[in-house]
Amino acid sequence: MWNWSAVTRWQSDENDVIGTKVLDPDPGLVKSLGAHHSLESAIADLVDNSVDAGARTVLVRFVVDGSRPTGLLIVDNGRGMDDSRIDDAMRLGRQRDYAPGSQGFYGLGLKAASFSHADTLTVWSKTSSSDSSCGRRLRKLDVQRDYSCAIIDPDVIAESLVQLLALVDSTVGTIVSWRDTTFPRPSSMVEADSWLENAKTSVRMHLGLLYHRLLSDGRLRLDIDVFDTSLQRPGPPERVVAIDPFEFSVAGVAGYPITVHAVVDSTTIPLRCHIVPPKSSGPQYRLYGRDGADSQGFFIYRSDRLLQAGGWNDVVAKTPARALARVAVDDFDSLSPYIRMNPEKRGVIFGHEFVAAVVRASDQHGTSPPIGFEDYLARAESVLVESRRRRRDRRPVVEPARGFHEEIRRIVKSEIPIKIDEDPVDIRWRRMPEGKLFELDRETRTIHLNQRYREMLTGGRTGLSDAPLLKTLMFLLTEQHFTGQRSGPRDKDLVDMWDAVLGGAVQLEAEYRSRGRGTR
């Protein structure tokens, strides 16, 4: 007969231990290091290190060779590292004493983030207390074999270090370099440009959301640019703009937000409960370009850095009825004993005690009778139901495709129904006569803009998805002319009218620009 009591006693008893030995980890574990990192979360982990080093400016640089993405640089103006600290930074799982407000947690971030997308990691750094710099390099194959780390000659990197740190207006700081990347190798220049635009957009939105508090109050500046090694020059930098998930352009719901308190043992953890205004739009609602309903749930902060953007953590189920419910959790120090955080900092796991405490949470002394967490959810659901009664269905549009910025395409798809029985519409630049802004080609389903005015209308910052405002306005103005089998006389007359008016306007704009004056 199976003696279950004996088995459980063996599992819990220490009397069977006769000694201990130290088992060194196999370097082969590096093969799976960073396996769960996305490109966005990996770059954010490196930015965390920069923030911990006191950086006020960080540049994220994609490195390309013509049309092929080959590497990535993170340049910051933090305090830098000496030989001892850079050795600690390159050591796997190094546990240091993190200062209050630090973003580091496991001692894996730099290595896991880098090896998730590159086989060669190089770090250069310079402090204000030293005239020389220091550098280290890890190659994934070497690390898997014996965890050897190369020491970089400071004289060789001195000139490059000075030039790179000048990009963040500093003489001290740190550069993290990825080489031998696992970035895709697109089959054409068009595909390569598309991948790069999508990658930049995703990274910009991710960083704008995670660091929105630091960005909005000026504690941090983040820029993204692209350096083409074949041309030996960078493109213009793009500033990362704060995306605050609790900032909306329309008035909120009366009486909200409210604060309810989850009590675990003798610890009280405040939960700031918001109801998103039902007509909200924009990046603050459509996080990552998705439908805003996908971002319901808890938004958990640590030292003003967002660790989790939505999700109910097994407290309640995700449902479309709770699309307007967002809860901010700021007191990470009080929360931390009751949660687990994954190494990629892409969310947390609530312990059972905290789950139960959230369900019981109420605003205690705020109202009479008190409003509980479940009352808050019910109110968020009722607001959504009321708004749907008043909302009319929007007219479907054709899908915007090549030439439109990926972010605009996402916004259109999330805000407006797409006609599934019509082919998408592209937008492109091509040479046309002076005084003409656009042409419509129904056969190729393309909106053409006049190449003659491209530099003027984009400020010289041209690219596959340039001029997003102009292109979006032209799409909204003309997309209905790409529906149906043919266009009638009235449609053609309307397009001719737009052509005449907008052609005159763009010609006047060019004349004002050439004289160096603005319109009055």
Side-chain angles (χ1 to χ4, degrees):
M1 180 180 293
W2 185 259
N3 189 341
W4 183 249
S5 61
V7 173
T8 56
R9 186 169 61 252
W10 167 72
Q11 289 178 323
S12 59
D13 211 338
E14 292 293 330
N15 293 332
D16 55 355
V17 176
I18 61 173
T20 62
K21 63 165 55 177
V22 176
L23 301 175
D24 293 329
D26 188 327
L29 64 86
V30 176
K31 293 179 181 178
S32 61
L33 196 62
H36 299 292
H37 263 304
S38 65
L39 178 61
E40 299 86 353
S41 67
I43 291 175
D45 223 330
L46 301 184
V47 174
D48 282 344
N49 293 338
S50 298
V51 172
D52 283 351
R56 300 293 297 270
T57 303
V58 180
L59 172 68
V60 178
R61 167 166 285 184
F62 287 88
V63 181
V64 300
D65 180 8
S67 62
R68 185 168 68 91
T70 60
L72 185 124
L73 292 174
I74 304 288
V75 185
D76 74 50
N77 64 353
R79 65 181 69 93
M81 295 180 285
D82 56 20
D83 282 289
S84 175
R85 291 187 68 84
I86 201 171
D87 284 342
D88 286 345
M90 303 299 273
R91 186 172 289 116
L92 184 64
R94 170 67 176 180
Q95 291 292 304
R96 60 181 173 86
D97 293 329
Y98 293 104
S102 295
Q103 298 299 341
F105 207 76
Y106 294 108
L108 295 171
L110 173 64
K111 287 74 63 179
S114 300
F115 286 145
S116 68
H117 288 84
D119 290 335
T120 301
L121 164 65
T122 304
V123 180
W124 313 330
S125 198
K126 186 177 184 304
T127 67
S128 59
S129 60
S130 175
D131 293 331
S132 63
S133 58
C134 57
R136 300 290 186 269
R137 177 173 295 132
L138 291 176
R139 299 184 188 277
K140 197 169 185 178
L141 289 176
D142 294 338
V143 174
Q144 290 174 6
R145 184 179 63 251
D146 57 12
Y147 210 92
S148 59
C149 179
I151 302 172
I152 308 301
D153 185 342
D155 295 332
V156 174
I157 64 174
E159 183 178 355
S160 297
L161 192 73
V162 169
Q163 292 177 353
L164 288 170
L165 289 177
L167 298 173
V168 290
D169 299 320
S170 184
T171 57
V172 301
T174 299
I175 296 99
V176 176
S177 169
W178 292 356
R179 288 200 339 238
D180 305 316
T181 62
T182 57
F183 294 162
R185 299 189 177 185
S187 57
S188 68
M189 185 173 293
V190 172
E191 292 297 328
D193 286 343
S194 179
W195 179 88
L196 186 60
E197 285 297 323
N198 290 342
K200 287 194 301 177
T201 297
S202 297
V203 169
R204 186 171 65 250
M205 294 179 70
H206 188 70
L207 298 181
L209 177 61
L210 265 55
Y211 301 101
H212 71 87
R213 291 180 175 177
L214 303 182
L215 293 167
S216 62
D217 63 14
R219 284 179 283 168
L220 179 65
R221 169 177 167 171
L222 286 168
D223 291 315
I224 300 174
D225 75 4
V226 178
F227 186 87
D228 191 332
T229 56
S230 63
L231 301 176
Q232 283 298 298
R233 67 169 182 261
E238 298 180 43
R239 182 72 55 86
V240 175
V241 178
I243 300 175
D244 185 346
F246 298 100
E247 180 181 1
F248 305 103
S249 58
V250 296
V253 177
Y256 283 86
I258 63 167
T259 300
V260 301
H261 301 87
V263 180
V264 189
D265 301 327
S266 58
T267 303
T268 299
I269 302 168
L271 313 174
R272 190 69 170 161
C273 299
H274 296 250
I275 297 178
V276 178
K279 293 185 179 180
S280 295
S281 61
Q284 295 87 352
Y285 180 57
R286 291 184 315 275
L287 307 181
Y288 303 108
R290 300 189 302 256
D291 189 317
D294 291 337
S295 299
Q296 58 182 266
F298 296 105
F299 288 71
I300 301 172
Y301 292 85
R302 182 186 184 211
S303 303
D304 284 338
R305 193 267 206 200
L306 190 60
L307 292 176
Q308 175 174 307
W312 289 112
N313 302 68
D314 294 326
V315 174
V316 294
K318 177 182 176 180
T319 168
R322 297 181 178 131
L324 305 181
R326 290 183 180 177
V327 182
V329 185
D330 267 298
D331 190 353
F332 188 82
D333 289 340
S334 297
L335 178 66
S336 59
Y338 309 105
I339 65 170
R340 286 182 291 131
M341 183 169 65
N342 63 42
E344 295 81 21
K345 300 180 208 167
R346 297 174 66 185
V348 303
I349 300 172
F350 288 0
H352 298 304
E353 306 97 325
F354 186 62
V355 169
V358 172
V359 174
R360 297 192 306 266
S362 74
D363 66 344
Q364 295 178 334
H365 307 298
T367 60
S368 181
I371 297 176
F373 183 75
E374 294 183 338
D375 298 322
Y376 153 68
L377 292 178
R379 178 59 179 140
E381 293 173 14
S382 68
V383 169
L384 183 62
V385 171
E386 293 165 8
S387 70
R388 284 175 172 169
R389 289 174 183 158
R390 298 189 300 266
R391 183 172 178 174
R392 296 179 179 177
D393 292 336
R394 292 171 174 170
R395 180 183 65 83
V397 299
V398 296
E399 180 183 353
R402 291 188 182 276
F404 294 96
H405 198 288
E406 179 65 23
E407 191 168 345
I408 299 302
R409 294 167 62 185
R410 289 173 179 168
I411 292 172
V412 170
K413 290 178 183 179
S414 64
E415 287 291 326
I416 314 172
I418 299 297
K419 291 184 176 180
I420 60 175
D421 56 345
E422 298 277 1
D423 291 333
V425 170
D426 298 338
I427 191 164
R428 301 180 185 277
W429 297 94
R430 79 175 182 191
R431 198 75 176 176
M432 301 179 202
E434 187 175 352
K436 191 175 186 65
L437 177 62
F438 76 100
E439 290 178 345
L440 303 183
D441 189 333
R442 283 175 53 89
E443 185 175 344
T444 63
R445 301 189 68 77
T446 304
I447 304 168
H448 291 288
L449 300 176
N450 195 341
Q451 177 79 27
R452 183 185 301 273
Y453 302 112
R454 185 176 189 179
E455 185 172 355
M456 177 191 76
L457 294 170
T458 62
R461 298 176 62 176
T462 60
L464 181 68
S465 306
D466 57 7
L469 177 60
L470 172 65
K471 289 181 176 179
T472 303
L473 289 172
M474 291 304 303
F475 169 76
L476 295 174
L477 183 68
T478 66
E479 63 82 22
Q480 60 185 320
H481 290 269
F482 291 91
T483 62
Q485 297 298 317
R486 61 185 182 86
S487 60
R490 294 184 62 182
D491 296 324
K492 292 176 181 178
D493 182 64
L494 188 59
V495 172
D496 289 342
M497 182 268 287
W498 290 340
D499 183 32
V501 174
L502 293 175
V506 76
Q507 198 164 12
L508 281 173
E509 183 71 22
E511 292 175 6
Y512 273 107
R513 298 282 184 98
S514 66
R515 293 201 296 264
R517 296 205 312 248
T519 59
R520 293 182 63 87

